[in-house]
Amino acid sequence: MKDTVVLARSKEGNRELQALLGERGISTVAVETIRFAEPLDWSSVDSAIRGIREFDWLAFTSPRAARAFGERLKRLGVAVGQRTPRVAAVGPGTATALKSLGLKVDFVPRDYLTSALGEGIPAELGRKVLLLRADIGDRGLMSVLEGRGFDVTDLAVYRTQTVPGQADSGPLT
């Protein structure tokens, strides 16, 4: 009897993982347990984007955050150019998403963890960071950066929601 793996992620995440597992002959059942939504209020993000050149670093904790940032840039009609701050990505998937926006990625930690991102961003290249992440993202990254003397603006560019009837309807933490 063939084993089946139950995937409990976002619709997009399930699709990606189903494809990878399917290539290896693994049967899957996908259940959408979370989905992503825009922030309820974009005003802080929009203000930061309009003043983007005030930052030394843009730090991204996921490919989804990078894509949400890119979509917001388009909606505001803000072009990324040569004067964009340096860019830090938590890992290669995030770096790829940022490069697809035309951004040069200046730092990716050796270990693809938010703690490694916070510990590794070169302070000598500037200390003002715009951190773009999920609403439920680990706030430890901000603490690590602030502990190293960085001035951090921490903004959620997307929200994570449970799917009613598929997952516990309580808040995600």
Side-chain angles (χ1 to χ4, degrees), residues 19-84:
L20 290 171
L21 293 173
E23 290 170 5
R24 291 167 177 76
I26 300 170
S27 176
T28 61
V29 173
V31 180
E32 181 186 22
T33 55
I34 60 171
R35 63 175 56 127
F36 305 107
E38 293 185 350
L40 295 174
D41 179 6
W42 280 106
S43 60
S44 295
V45 174
D46 292 352
S47 178
I49 288 174
R50 287 186 181 105
I52 203 162
R53 287 174 178 76
E54 297 173 19
F55 296 95
D56 300 310
W57 285 96
L58 304 179
F60 295 87
T61 60
S62 70
R64 174 155 303 282
R67 288 189 298 271
F69 175 75
E71 289 167 11
R72 199 63 190 171
L73 286 173
K74 280 185 197 171
R75 186 166 298 165
L76 294 175
V78 175
V80 293
Q82 295 175 346
R83 295 186 42 184
T84 301

Side-chain angles (χ1 to χ4, degrees), residues 117-151:
L117 182 66
E119 293 163 3
I121 292 178
E124 65 275 7
L125 299 177
R127 293 183 178 265
K128 191 161 182 172
V129 177
L130 175 57
L131 174 58
L132 300 148
R133 59 179 187 79
D135 62 330
I136 63 167
D138 179 7
R139 300 210 187 259
L141 173 55
M142 190 169 98
S143 297
V144 169
L145 288 168
E146 288 177 340
R148 292 184 56 217
F150 284 89
D151 175 14

